[in-house]
Amino acid sequence: MKSYTAVVERCPETGFYVGYVPGFPGAHSQGETFEELNDNLKEVIAMILNEGTPELLGEFVGTQVVEVT
């Protein structure tokens, strides 16, 4: 089993959770709940991996707080 880190945001227009895996082309989805988003991302990633292992274009490192005065 392989794990991927997804970045999740909430769309202000729809209220849906939108997620993507940084550096993983095509690995993005949405859902009304975190659980639905997770299930949808699993499905998308599995479909991509069925076509072969993609070359990851980057690696998620973390988040950073930027203070602007």
Side-chain angles (χ1 to χ4, degrees), residues 5-9 18-24 26-29 37 41 45 60:
T5 301
V7 174
V8 179
E9 299 176 342
V18 179
Y20 66 93
V21 179
F24 196 142
H28 53 84
S29 193
L37 172 61
L41 284 170
I45 291 168
F60 180 77

Side-chain angles (χ1 to χ4, degrees), residues 28-51:
H28 53 84
S29 193
Q30 66 181 15
E32 288 187 72
T33 65
F34 276 119
E35 183 177 281
E36 182 180 10
L37 172 61
N38 191 273
D39 290 344
N40 292 344
L41 284 170
K42 284 181 188 179
E43 185 177 334
V44 166
I45 291 168
M47 287 187 325
I48 293 170
L49 293 175
N50 281 337
E51 296 175 6

